[in-house]
Every structure is written in C-alpha cells, then in structure tokens.
Amino acid sequence: MRINKYIASKNIVSRREAEKLVLDGRVRINGSVITNLATQVNENDVVEIESIEDIKNDKIYIKLNKPRGYVCSTNKNEGIPIYKLVKNIKEKIYPVGRLDKDSSGLIILTNDGVFAKNIIEENSNCEKEYYVKLNDDIPDGALKKLEFGMSLDGKKLKPAKIKRIDKYSFYITLTEGRNRQIRRMCEKVGFRVVILKRIRIANIFLDSLKEKEYQNLNKDEIDSIIKY
C-alpha cells in the first residue's frame, strides 16, 4: 500500500494531508525519513509520523562514524541500533538514508526533514563517496562497467566516478542510493565486497572521526547540503 494511503487509512489525517507530511519529511518508515509518495509499506513496517508538537525550531545536524554490526533502524532484531551511540540528545533525530549492517562510515542524523530530503531525494544529485575493498583483483574493464555500463532491476544507473587505489580497492562516488547498490554492482561483475565504508556526503567528510564517535556539523557542512 502507498504510504499516503496507509496513513489516511489509519484516520490520522486526510490523504492530501498525508501527502504533505511525506513531502515535508515528517514520516519515517523503520526509522528512516521518506519523501517519496510512491513508497510502499506493509504490516511488518514501522511507520512513525512527526506531529506538529514535535517540530522544533532548534534543528540538530550530527555526523556519526557507524561501525559494522550496527543498523540504521529501531528494530533490535536486525542488530544494534545506531541510536545507542548518540548520547544526551533529547530531540528525536533520524538517519538520513541508510548504511547496511555490514557497512561502516559516515551517516548523518537530523530532525530537519527538508535537509534530509536534499540528500535522499532521487533527483538531488547529492554525491556520496565510498571506499570499497573486494575479495579479488578487479581489472580495469570491470571498473569501467561499474562506472558507465551498469543496470539494476532493469533500470540504467547514473554514471559513477571511480578512482582505483590498488588491485583490490577503489573509491566510488554515486549520486543515487538504491538498496545495497554497490554490493549488487560488484556482484554483477563477479566480485564480492569485503569492506564498504562511506567517507563523504556532499562536502561533509568522515575525516578523522573514529568509529562510534559523532559530532555536530559546522555551518559550511550544513550549507553544502542546503545548496542542493
């Protein structure tokens, strides 16, 4: 069922009001903000709606270095929630996009739905850069396929930027974020991802932030997202 229809079916708001809640970034599914009206939900999904009372004037923008084994959801059955790492934050904050349980690196948490939308919206073209290490030596031809010649689920991917590090590893920059995209791309050219770590979103860098550590974004980092 589409998310706006689902919300309206619960007699919370009208379908038109539900659409606005989604577009304003006030709806979360399994802990992640969604802004796509075509998003489907089922009975196993946890849907949360940010009430007017929960909207704060004070916005929070945090970057966290997520370790492997932690999950970007509130479902403890999936793994340890990243919220366990963020202390002394009274306001409700939510991850912008996701990193899967076996991936690590930069994740942003915020209570600003519009800010989040500028990162995750399909047409935002916001860059996300990752370090990738594979299980074997990857030839240049396979890297070119990852860069320019790849389709997933019958849909052509946007071009990626790739910079080789050594025979096993490279940096890849994407402007979209499909489910387990990099892992699936590598599988299509015959390789398995051993390490996947996000190191940059727009002009927000992981830099020297250690695993499990977090800090507030500075003005320049926030502005690098707002420009989208």
Side-chain angles (χ1 to χ4, degrees):
M1 183 184 296
R2 286 168 66 103
I3 182 60
N4 58 320
K5 184 178 180 181
Y6 173 86
I7 294 172
S9 73
K10 300 299 181 181
N11 296 318
I12 300 170
V13 292
S14 69
R15 189 177 298 189
R16 178 168 293 183
E17 290 171 329
E19 290 179 358
K20 188 175 188 307
L21 286 172
V22 172
L23 294 174
D24 287 347
R26 295 184 179 181
V27 177
R28 295 168 294 278
I29 298 177
N30 301 324
S32 295
V33 174
I34 60 103
T35 57
N36 186 348
L37 292 173
T39 301
Q40 300 287 319
V41 295
N42 59 51
E43 61 183 7
N44 295 320
D45 291 316
V46 177
V47 178
E48 299 172 279
I49 301 169
E50 187 178 11
S51 68
I52 297 299
E53 291 75 19
D54 288 334
I55 304 299
K56 307 290 185 181
N57 291 325
D58 294 331
K59 298 298 182 182
I60 296 175
Y61 309 91
I62 289 173
K63 65 177 179 181
L64 166 73
N65 187 345
K66 179 187 110 52
R68 293 178 65 181
Y70 284 74
V71 295
C72 299
S73 78
T74 56
N75 188 343
K76 296 180 181 179
N77 293 327
E78 295 178 3
I80 308 170
I82 58 173
Y83 301 102
K84 297 287 187 181
L85 300 173
V86 183
K87 311 293 185 181
N88 302 318
I89 303 294
K90 294 181 180 179
E91 290 82 357
K92 293 181 179 180
I93 54 175
Y94 303 92
V96 181
R98 287 195 171 201
L99 287 172
D100 64 50
K101 184 177 180 179
D102 294 325
S103 299
S104 64
L106 178 63
I107 190 86
I108 295 172
L109 298 103
T110 184
N111 58 353
D112 187 338
V114 174
F115 178 88
K117 183 177 178 181
N118 286 347
I119 295 175
I120 63 177
E121 190 175 49
E122 185 175 355
N123 295 321
S124 72
N125 292 317
C126 181
E127 290 189 343
K128 296 96 175 174
E129 186 175 3
Y130 302 80
Y131 166 79
V132 184
K133 183 176 181 180
L134 303 177
N135 64 317
D136 204 350
D137 180 0
I138 183 168
D140 290 339
L143 286 180
K144 286 296 182 183
K145 288 183 179 180
L146 295 178
E147 197 169 13
F148 299 113
M150 189 67 61
S151 295
L152 288 179
D153 304 322
K155 185 177 179 181
K156 182 77 171 179
L157 297 175
K158 294 179 181 179
K161 298 177 184 176
I162 290 183
K163 180 180 179 182
R164 181 187 284 278
I165 300 171
D166 55 35
K167 63 181 183 177
Y168 294 105
S169 58
F170 57 91
Y171 296 115
I172 183 169
T173 301
L174 305 178
T175 55
E176 59 189 330
R178 302 196 198 177
N179 183 41
R180 297 177 66 86
Q181 180 173 337
I182 294 173
R183 295 182 187 277
R184 293 167 65 199
M185 289 170 68
C186 292
E187 288 170 1
K188 287 197 71 171
V189 293
F191 295 88
R192 177 173 55 85
V193 172
V194 176
I195 298 175
L196 180 59
K197 182 176 185 179
R198 184 156 61 200
I199 59 174
R200 177 174 67 90
I201 298 173
N203 288 335
I204 302 171
F205 293 83
L206 191 61
D207 290 332
S208 59
L209 196 64
K210 296 179 180 179
E211 284 194 348
K212 299 185 179 182
E213 289 186 348
Y214 64 93
Q215 65 186 39
N216 293 323
L217 298 185
N218 61 42
K219 184 179 184 300
D220 289 340
E221 290 174 324
I222 296 170
D223 288 346
S224 78
I225 299 299
I226 292 175
K227 73 177 183 179
Y228 290 98

